[in-house]
């Protein structure tokens, strides 16, 4: 499913009319019908017992609300319509629907700052409020009458339906200040906007429904509409088959270069995640001082102890054996728990440059390239998947953390385009940016996953996906992209399943490991 900016959505609406002959009035009529259907699906027969108020603005959002009012009236309801504008200021298709509403016997009340106190007293008396005040064009905090209206709606105990987007939310942004309507249900049309998926105040949307209103789906296929939402049915198709005639080599032999004194758990988590995600063979390469500790955690795991520094991190002497160990490997994970000793950082940079296998670079593997993003490349042209959180990405890219958090889509996409890597920008909604300029947003994940070791598990899952790709002879850019998307989605799905079982407070990386098999089963069931 594509995620569109406001300008892209306007372009879809324009082309729907100009190229495909779908009138704007029909789009608005379909929107109002879909809003009624959403209410009917939610409330069923109880809808008839609800007192309903619609708060409409003067634009197309208000026009959608007026169509809904008419749909309700046609079915015997008596909704109260409040127009927070002068009727003379309503233009275009919204004005046509205001005229239809009045000529069909509908009544409305114009509301201005002077009359608002009287209306405000009634807001709390309604069971159902429809927010059709402002649509997707808002780009500054609310003030005046609209701010007062939003505050009153939020104080009410009514069920709130937001038309297209809750009033006060900026469609093209992920965060903002100012009050936003706190909806129980948001119904948007054709495709979600950025805020629907990435806004930090997701709770303001309630449940989000995306419904068609008549725009041809082919209009969304344009390559410049580069942002997509991962959907389970589509992601499930990215799984590669496991054949009856296969053997362990079929599914890839992986190398996990990880761990240091005091951080053996990172190596264990990443290696175990790779095994549980379907890798045929996994070898953990760790400092010699923690090899026995790592090996004791998982009997299926092979281990190699390598020369270490006085701080218990991998030493430069580990380069030669790692070169040899990587020769026949299908993918390499590099970074979890390695530490940031200068000698280890130099080793990491040499490995990224020299190893001839697909790489997943995470955590201290990324920190080794702080301020040196141009060096994050493979001399042999092997794909590199970097998996930073915003802090690590800040050190890598030189961008401020606030800029990254405020504009994650733009900065992730630009970095991937500039450096030719697959970037997995972890966060509230993890993004996958590809070297071809496409960005995919994962809708899953939960607050319980904000805990130690989650990134290590993701590294293992992603490395398993890359290894299976290479072992299967699938090494094109599209194959790598599908593998990364599958890995990100599977990891988040496992986190959500574990969270449902254990609660967010008790959720650990080990819990997510134990839910990977259940996540696979959930994918198969769709």
């Amino acid at each position: 499913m594509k995620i569109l900016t406001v300008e892209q959505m306007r372009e879809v609406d324009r082309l729907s009319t100009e190229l495909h002959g779908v009138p704007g009035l029909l789009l608005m009529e379909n929107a109002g019908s879909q809003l009624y259907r959403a209410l009917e699906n939610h409330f069923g027969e109880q809808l008839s017992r609800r007192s309903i108020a619609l708060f409409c603005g003067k634009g197309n959002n208000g026009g959608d609300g007026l169509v809904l009012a008419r749909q309700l009236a046609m079915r015997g309801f008596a909704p109260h319509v409040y127009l927070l504008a002068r009727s003379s200021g309503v233009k275009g298709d919204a004005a046509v629907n205001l005229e239809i509403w009045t000529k069909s016997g509908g009544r409305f009340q114009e509301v201005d700052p002077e009359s608002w106190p009287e209306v405000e007293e009634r807001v709390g008396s309604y069971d159902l409020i429809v927010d059709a005040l402002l649509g997707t064009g808002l780009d500054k905090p609310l003030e005046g009458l609209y701010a007062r209206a939003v505050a009153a709606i939020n104080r009410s105990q009514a069920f709130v339906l937001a038309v297209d987007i809750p009033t006060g939310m900026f469609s093209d942004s992920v965060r903002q200040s100012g009050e936003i309507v706190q909806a129980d249900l948001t119904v948007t049309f054709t495709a979600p906007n950025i805020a629907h998926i990435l806004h930090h105040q997701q709770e303001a949307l309630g449940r989000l429904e995306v419904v068609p209103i008549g725009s041809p789906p082919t209009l969304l296929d344009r390559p410049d509409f580069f942002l997509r939402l991962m959907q389970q049915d589509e992601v499930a198709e990215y799984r590669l088959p496991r054949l009856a005639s296969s053997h362990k080599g079929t599914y890839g032999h992986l190398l996990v270069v990880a761990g240091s004194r005091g951080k053996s758990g990172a190596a264990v988590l990443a290696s175990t995640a790779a095994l549980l995600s379907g890798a045929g063979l996994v070898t953990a390469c760790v400092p010699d001082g923690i090899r026995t500790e790592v090996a004791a955690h998982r009997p299926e795991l092979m281990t190699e102890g390598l020369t270490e520094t006085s701080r218990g991190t991998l030493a430069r002497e580990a380069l030669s054996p790692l070169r040899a160990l990587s020769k026949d490997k299908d993918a390499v994970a590099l970074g979890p728990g390695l530490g940031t000793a200068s000698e280890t950082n130099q080793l990491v940079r040499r490995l990224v440059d020299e190893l001839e296998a697909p790489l997943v670079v995470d955590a201290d593997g990324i920190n080794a390239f702080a301020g040196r993003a141009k060096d994050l490349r493979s001399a042999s042209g092997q794909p590199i998947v970097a998996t930073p959180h915003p802090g690590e990405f800040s050190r890598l890219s030189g961008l401020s953390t606030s800029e990254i958090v405020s504009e994650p889509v733009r900065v992730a996409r630009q970095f991937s385009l500039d450096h030719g890597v697959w970037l997995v920008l972890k966060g509230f909604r993890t993004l996958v940016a590809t070297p071809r300029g496409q960005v995919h947003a994962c809708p899953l994940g939960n607050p319980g996953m904000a805990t130690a070791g989650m990134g290590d598990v993701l590294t293992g899952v992603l490395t398993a996906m890359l290894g299976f790709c290479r072992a299967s002879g699938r090494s094109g850019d599209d194959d790598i992209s599908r593998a990364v998307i599958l890995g990100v989605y599977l990891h988040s799905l496992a986190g959500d399943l574990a969270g449902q079982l254990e609660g967010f407070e008790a959720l650990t990386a080990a819990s997510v490991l134990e839910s990977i098999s259940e996540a696979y089963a959930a994918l198969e069931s769709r």
Side-chain angles (χ1 to χ4, degrees):
M1 178 184 289
K2 291 292 181 74
I3 304 170
L4 302 185
T5 65
V6 172
E7 190 58 38
Q8 289 169 344
M9 192 67 247
R10 287 173 179 160
E11 180 72 356
V12 169
D13 289 344
R14 183 184 68 81
L15 293 176
S16 295
T17 298
E18 295 182 6
L19 290 185
H20 297 272
V22 183
L25 272 173
L26 180 58
L27 295 174
M28 188 172 286
E29 187 70 26
N30 291 342
S33 297
Q34 288 282 28
L35 291 167
Y36 177 78
R37 187 172 293 112
L39 288 175
E40 191 175 44
N41 289 340
H42 181 85
F43 287 105
E45 293 182 357
Q46 293 185 5
L47 183 59
S48 63
R49 295 190 287 273
R50 303 282 168 171
S51 56
I52 304 172
L54 297 96
F55 288 84
C56 299
K58 65 181 181 180
N60 284 345
N61 198 248
D64 296 338
L66 289 165
V67 175
L68 173 58
R70 177 160 41 84
Q71 293 281 339
L72 288 164
M74 288 167 54
R75 292 166 173 83
F77 294 88
H80 292 182
V81 176
Y82 297 100
L83 179 64
L84 273 68
R86 293 291 185 189
S87 57
S88 59
V90 181
K91 304 298 182 183
D93 295 336
V96 174
N97 274 295
L98 180 59
E99 183 179 10
I100 294 172
W101 171 246
T102 56
K103 286 187 175 180
S104 62
R107 301 173 62 185
F108 68 93
Q109 179 178 343
E110 286 186 5
V111 182
D112 58 21
E114 288 71 32
S115 61
W116 170 250
E118 176 190 346
V119 176
E120 186 175 19
E121 291 181 1
R122 303 181 211 148
V123 173
S125 66
Y126 296 107
D127 302 315
L128 169 60
I129 291 176
V130 177
D131 165 26
L133 288 170
L134 293 173
T136 56
L138 185 70
D139 59 4
K140 61 181 180 180
L142 297 171
E143 56 186 23
L145 178 60
Y146 277 40
R148 295 166 70 185
V150 167
I153 291 171
N154 287 342
R155 287 195 301 269
S156 77
Q157 299 300 308
F159 181 96
V160 178
L161 166 65
V163 177
D164 212 2
I165 193 167
T167 294
M169 185 175 282
F170 303 165
S171 297
D172 284 350
S173 178
V174 302
R175 62 191 309 178
Q176 69 193 70
S177 60
E179 190 156 19
I180 299 171
V181 164
Q182 301 298 302
D184 298 285
L185 172 64
T186 298
V187 177
T188 195
F189 313 115
T190 307
N193 291 127
I194 289 173
H196 289 130
I197 307 302
L198 301 178
H199 199 283
H200 291 189
Q201 296 185 44
Q202 285 288 293
E203 61 278 1
L205 295 162
R207 187 176 79 253
L208 175 68
E209 293 184 9
V210 182
V211 298
I213 58 172
S215 293
T218 53
L219 291 177
L220 302 179
D221 293 337
R222 293 169 44 160
D224 56 324
F225 293 177
F226 59 81
L227 182 58
R228 297 181 65 95
L229 177 67
M230 298 179 194
Q231 292 183 286
Q232 188 159 316
D233 290 348
E234 182 178 357
V235 172
E237 295 178 359
Y238 295 165
R239 292 188 61 191
L240 298 179
R242 297 181 79 89
L243 305 176
S245 59
S246 60
H247 54 84
K248 58 189 175 184
T250 305
Y251 305 111
H253 189 170
L254 313 182
L255 211 63
V256 176
V257 184
S260 59
R261 185 185 305 152
K263 296 181 180 178
S264 60
V268 171
L269 288 169
S271 301
T272 304
L275 284 169
L276 295 178
S277 298
L281 297 158
V282 178
T283 298
C285 298
V286 299
D288 194 58
I290 64 170
R291 190 199 67 78
T292 301
E293 185 178 349
V294 171
H297 277 275
R298 199 84 199 184
E300 305 94 334
L301 185 65
M302 295 178 287
T303 56
E304 288 283 345
L306 302 172
T307 305
E308 62 182 28
T309 67
S310 60
R311 295 171 59 180
T313 65
L314 288 175
R316 62 173 61 91
E317 289 81 6
L319 179 60
S320 181
L322 282 170
R323 281 197 197 109
L325 285 164
S326 70
K327 287 297 183 183
D328 61 344
K329 301 306 183 290
D330 296 294
V332 177
L334 180 60
L338 282 178
T340 56
S342 176
E343 187 173 337
T344 308
N345 287 343
Q346 295 173 32
L347 171 67
V348 168
R349 292 193 290 270
R350 291 286 298 276
L351 290 170
V352 169
D353 184 47
E354 297 181 19
L355 295 189
E356 297 183 356
L359 280 164
V360 178
V361 184
D362 180 43
D364 290 330
I366 294 170
N367 290 330
F369 290 89
R372 309 175 67 146
K374 61 181 177 57
D375 296 330
L376 187 61
R377 56 177 179 77
S378 164
S380 62
Q382 290 295 331
I384 294 175
V385 180
T387 63
H389 58 59
E392 291 163 345
F393 190 46
S394 176
R395 292 189 285 274
L396 174 65
S397 66
L399 301 171
S400 68
T401 303
S402 61
E403 183 178 1
I404 293 166
V405 172
S406 297
E407 299 187 77
V409 175
R410 180 184 64 79
V411 299
R413 181 173 186 261
Q414 194 60 55
F415 188 90
S416 292
L417 285 169
D418 289 345
H419 299 280
V421 303
W422 281 260
L423 186 75
V424 178
L425 181 55
K426 297 180 289 194
F428 161 64
R429 291 282 188 253
T430 294
L431 302 177
V432 174
T434 77
R436 292 183 176 179
Q438 299 299 299
V439 182
H440 304 258
C442 182
L444 306 181
N446 62 75
M449 298 178 74
T451 189
M454 288 293 173
D456 305 327
V457 174
L458 176 60
T459 294
V461 175
L462 289 171
T463 309
M465 301 303 156
L466 292 187
F468 193 4
C469 262
R470 194 186 204 202
S472 303
R474 295 171 169 89
S475 56
D477 282 2
D478 289 343
D479 298 308
I480 301 301
S481 295
R482 284 190 286 268
V484 176
I485 291 166
L486 174 59
V488 167
Y489 193 93
L490 185 74
H491 174 259
S492 294
L493 179 57
D496 285 351
L497 292 170
Q500 291 172 15
L501 181 65
E502 300 187 11
F504 295 158
E505 292 81 4
L507 194 60
T508 65
S511 305
V512 176
L513 283 178
E514 295 167 4
S515 294
I516 289 175
S517 61
E518 189 179 353
Y520 265 127
L523 278 178
E524 289 176 350
S525 69
R526 298 300 290 265

